Amino acid sequence: MDFLNKAYAQVADLFRSMTPGARITVVLLSAVVVISLAYLFTHPIGGPEADLMHGVPISADQLPAMEAAFHKAKLSGYEIRGTQIFVPRGQEAAYMGALADDNALPANFSSALQQALIDTSPFESPQETEKRFKIALQETLGRGISAMQGIQRAYVLYDSDITPGLNRKKIVTASVFVTPVGSDVLSGERVASIKQCVASSIACMKPENVTVVDQKSGRSWYGNPENGGSAEDNLYYKLKQKHETDLKAKVLSALGFLPSLTVETSVVLDSKKSSRIREVKNDPKALAIRESEQNSSSLRESGAAETAGPVGLRSQQPNTPVALGAGGGPKEEEKESKRETVSIAGGQETESEIAGLTPKLAKVSVGVPISYFKKVWQETNPEKGKDGKGPDAAALDQIRNEVFTKIKKIVAGILPPAENVTDLTELVSVADFQDLTFEPTPEPGISQNLLHWLGSSWSVLGMIGLAGASLLMLRSLIKAAPISMSSRPMSREPILEGPGGETPHPVARSTAAATAARLKRFSSGPSLRDELSVVVKEDPDTAANILRNWIGQMG
C-alpha cells in the first residue's frame, strides 16, 4: 500500500504542476487510450467469420429476402458462402434484428401450424378453419422435405373428396414438386421416402396416391404398377436396382487398390415371382394297401317225401297241433369263398417351391485410367524413370493386360452363378480411358492476403495507432511537466545573491532552485549551479536578467 500511496502522490503532484491546457490534453488522451483498449478487447481482429445461422443451411429462395432486409438496415459487412451467411463478429444481433424486423428469418417446420393456431378466431366457420390448417400443413410439409439432403426446395399440394353413391369413400391425393440441389436428380429411395412422409402426415392418404415431380428434369413418379404407375413402384425394378447397387459396392470394395476407378453393373432377374415343382417317381411293383376275404356254407336236402297228418274230424279242428314226422331224403352242403385285394403303383412324390425375382445374369463393366499403368511402370522401374523418359507402348500393353486379367479374375469371384456360363470372366468387360489432369487453383499470394487482412481489420488497426499516438503524447507531456517543490526536499545549496549583493526574494529563490534542479536532471555536463555561479561572478546583470525571465515564464 505504501508503494501505491507514493505513486499516487507523485502522479497527483505531477498533474497539479501542469498548466490547465496540459491537464485537459492529458485527460482527453487518457480517455482515448481507455476507449481504444476497450474496443480492441470487444472487437477482435477478424473479418466476416461468424456464421449467422450457426451451421443451419439456408435455401436459395430465402436468400433474396434476407439480403433485402440487410439492405434496408444498411448492413453491408456480410458475406454469402454457399448456403451460409457470415457476418462480422460481434454484430450477429444487429443482423438478426434486421431479419426479424423485415420478417425474413428462416421459418422452422412448425411455425406455419403455430401461426394458424394463433390466427384462429371463435367467429370463424369450421370450413374456413379447415382450409387454414390445410394450407399450414402444406407449407410445413414443404419445409420438412426441403430440409432433406440434396433438396433445394419443395412444395406440397393435396386435396380430398368423397365419392358419390351409396358406397361413399374418401379419396385423398397429393402432389410434391421438388427441386434438387445443383445438377442432382431424385433417386428411387428419395422418392419413396417423400411418398411415405406425405402419406403418413395426411389422414387417409396412401403412398400410391402421392405424385412426386422433379422440377428440373420434369420426371414424375406416381401410382403403382397395377394402375400404370411409375417404374420405381414396380417390384422387379426395385429388386433389380438393389442387386445392382449391392454388386457395384462389392466390386468397388474389391478393387479399392485402383485409383479413379469407374464401375457399372447390370443384373437380369428371373421374371417369375415364385415357382413350384412337383416330381413323382413310379415303382413297377404294385403295393397292396388293403386285402379282404369272405367265406360262407349252406346244407340242403333233396328228394324227401312229405308225411301226412292224422285222419279224422279231430285233426281238422282249429288250433290242433300237427304232428311232424322226419323225412328220410338225401342232404347236400354248399361252401362259398370270396377274396378281394386293393393295391396302388409304388413310387416317390416330391414338391418344392423356388423363390423368383433372383439374379439370373449379372454383368460388370470396369474402367481404368491410363495414368495408373504409367505409375505402375514407374514404381517397378525406378531406375529407368530417372532419365525422364516414359514407358514405351509395349511396356504399357504388358502392364495393361496384366491388370485387366487381374480385374476380371477378382470380379468373376463376386458374380453370382449364371445359367449356361462356365467362365464368369466372360461377363466382365474392362477398358481403359484417358484421365484429364487439371491444374490446381493458384493460392492467393502474400500481397493479396495482406490486402484482404488490412481491408477487414482497418478499424482495429486504426484504434491501435490512435492508442499508441496517445500514449506517446502522454509520455512527452509527463516528461515536459515541471516537478513541484512540495514533493522534493529543501535544498541546502547556497542562496544566489542578486546584483549588488542583495538577497533575492524567497519566491525567486525557490523558483530559481526548482529551475536549476530541473535543468540539472537533463544536463549531462557540469552542474547548473556552478555555471550560474560563474555567470553571476562574471556578469551579475546578465544573471539577474536570466533569473527574471525564468521567474516570468514560471508565473
Side-chain angles (χ1 to χ4, degrees):
M1 294 298 295
D2 186 50
F3 170 75
L4 295 178
N5 293 332
K6 290 182 179 180
Y8 175 76
Q10 293 178 0
V11 172
D13 292 341
L14 181 62
F15 186 77
R16 283 193 294 268
S17 64
M18 295 180 180
T19 61
R23 294 176 183 178
I24 295 175
T25 304
V26 169
V27 172
L28 293 177
L29 291 177
S30 301
V32 169
V33 172
V34 173
I35 294 173
S36 301
L37 293 176
Y39 181 85
L40 292 177
F41 280 107
T42 56
H43 295 76
I45 298 177
E49 293 298 334
D51 188 1
L52 185 61
M53 295 300 167
H54 304 286
V56 178
I58 302 172
S59 59
D61 56 344
Q62 293 176 336
L63 288 176
M66 300 176 74
E67 290 186 274
F70 296 153
H71 180 71
K72 289 182 180 179
K74 297 181 179 179
L75 299 173
S76 59
Y78 65 92
E79 182 178 349
I80 298 177
R81 300 177 187 172
T83 59
Q84 295 176 324
I85 297 179
F86 292 86
V87 300
R89 294 185 183 277
Q91 299 185 21
E92 294 91 343
Y95 282 85
M96 293 296 289
L99 295 178
D101 293 340
D102 205 48
N103 197 20
L105 283 171
N108 54 25
F109 297 161
S110 60
S111 61
L113 292 175
Q114 293 175 356
Q115 190 64 33
L117 288 172
I118 295 174
D119 295 340
T120 302
S121 173
F123 303 102
E124 194 175 46
S125 63
Q127 292 79 10
E128 293 177 348
T129 303
E130 183 179 359
K131 290 180 180 179
R132 185 189 302 277
F133 277 95
K134 176 183 176 181
I135 296 174
L137 180 59
Q138 292 177 165
E139 186 175 353
T140 302
L141 287 174
R143 292 174 181 173
I145 297 173
S146 300
M148 293 183 179
Q149 186 177 4
I151 296 180
Q152 181 176 340
R153 59 178 174 269
Y155 304 99
V156 179
L157 297 175
Y158 80 94
D159 195 9
S160 61
D161 195 6
I162 298 177
T163 59
L166 298 177
N167 189 13
R168 299 167 65 87
K169 180 190 278 186
K170 186 177 182 181
I171 300 177
V172 185
T173 58
S175 299
V176 184
F177 301 91
V178 181
T179 302
V181 174
S183 59
D184 296 343
V185 295
L186 292 179
S187 61
E189 291 81 2
R190 182 56 52 84
V191 171
S193 63
I194 292 175
K195 285 189 173 185
Q196 292 293 339
C197 175
V198 175
S200 302
S201 303
I202 302 175
C204 302
M205 173 71 75
K206 297 180 180 179
E208 57 265 22
N209 291 340
V210 179
T211 301
V212 180
V213 181
D214 188 343
Q215 289 188 305
K216 285 190 176 180
S217 64
R219 188 178 180 183
S220 62
W221 293 262
Y222 59 93
N224 52 44
E226 296 179 357
N227 298 329
S230 61
E232 280 72 13
D233 295 321
N234 189 287
L235 180 61
Y236 181 91
Y237 178 84
K238 289 182 178 179
L239 292 177
K240 173 182 170 65
Q241 191 176 31
K242 183 180 183 303
H243 285 296
E244 291 177 348
T245 303
D246 294 343
L247 181 59
K248 182 177 181 179
K250 291 180 180 179
V251 173
L252 287 174
S253 178
L255 302 178
F257 60 92
L258 292 172
S260 303
L261 192 71
T262 61
V263 175
E264 291 297 332
T265 59
S266 177
V267 178
V268 179
L269 304 181
D270 187 1
S271 59
K272 298 178 182 178
K273 288 186 177 181
S274 63
S275 60
R276 180 173 296 180
I277 299 176
R278 181 179 180 184
E279 183 179 0
V280 178
K281 295 181 179 180
N282 294 326
D283 191 353
K285 185 178 178 180
L287 178 63
I289 61 174
R290 187 178 62 188
E291 292 182 357
S292 61
E293 184 178 357
Q294 294 180 356
N295 297 322
S296 62
S297 62
S298 61
L299 185 63
R300 185 169 61 116
E301 295 180 357
S302 60
E306 295 182 359
T307 304
V311 180
L313 180 62
R314 182 179 178 184
S315 60
Q316 297 179 358
Q317 294 296 322
N319 300 326
T320 301
V322 177
L324 298 178
K331 297 181 180 179
E332 295 180 0
E333 183 178 1
E334 294 181 358
K335 294 182 179 181
E336 183 178 359
S337 178
K338 185 178 181 181
R339 184 182 182 89
E340 182 180 3
T341 302
V342 179
S343 61
I344 61 173
Q348 184 178 3
E349 183 177 346
T350 305
E351 185 174 351
S352 60
E353 185 175 359
I354 302 175
L357 297 178
T358 55
K360 185 170 62 175
L361 181 65
K363 295 182 179 180
V364 178
S365 299
V366 181
V368 184
I370 297 178
S371 60
Y372 176 75
F373 308 136
K374 297 180 180 179
K375 291 180 180 178
V376 172
W377 183 86
Q378 292 174 356
E379 291 183 1
T380 54
N381 301 278
E383 298 297 332
K384 296 181 180 179
K386 291 182 179 180
D387 56 0
K389 295 181 180 180
D392 53 3
L396 286 180
D397 290 340
Q398 182 181 358
I399 297 175
R400 181 184 294 105
N401 294 332
E402 293 176 357
V403 172
F404 284 5
T405 303
K406 185 185 299 184
I407 292 174
K408 288 184 178 181
K409 188 177 296 184
I410 293 175
V411 176
I414 303 174
L415 295 178
E419 297 180 0
N420 303 325
V421 179
T422 56
D423 188 6
L424 294 180
T425 57
E426 299 176 358
L427 303 178
V428 182
S429 61
V430 186
D432 56 1
F433 63 91
Q434 181 65 46
D435 50 338
L436 301 178
T437 57
F438 298 94
E439 296 182 359
T441 304
E443 296 291 336
I446 298 177
S447 59
Q448 294 181 353
N449 292 330
L450 181 60
L451 290 176
H452 177 73
W453 183 77
L454 291 175
S456 60
S457 308
W458 64 269
S459 58
V460 178
L461 295 177
M463 293 302 297
I464 293 176
L466 182 60
S470 301
L471 289 175
L472 291 176
M473 293 179 66
L474 279 174
R475 181 174 178 274
S476 301
L477 289 173
I478 291 172
K479 284 186 175 182
I483 301 176
S484 175
M485 292 300 298
S486 60
S487 60
R488 296 179 61 88
M490 295 296 296
S491 176
R492 296 184 179 180
E493 297 176 354
I495 300 174
L496 300 177
E497 296 180 356
E502 69 274 10
T503 302
H505 193 272
V507 176
R509 290 202 309 269
S510 62
T511 304
T515 304
R518 184 164 58 86
L519 293 177
K520 180 181 179 181
R521 183 179 58 183
F522 293 100
S523 176
S524 58
S527 173
L528 182 61
R529 183 182 61 184
D530 297 338
E531 293 181 358
L532 288 175
S533 299
V534 174
V535 171
V536 169
K537 290 180 180 180
E538 294 179 355
D539 192 355
D541 296 334
T542 303
N545 292 332
I546 292 174
L547 293 175
R548 194 178 295 110
N549 292 333
W550 285 352
I551 293 171
Q553 291 178 359
M554 294 298 296

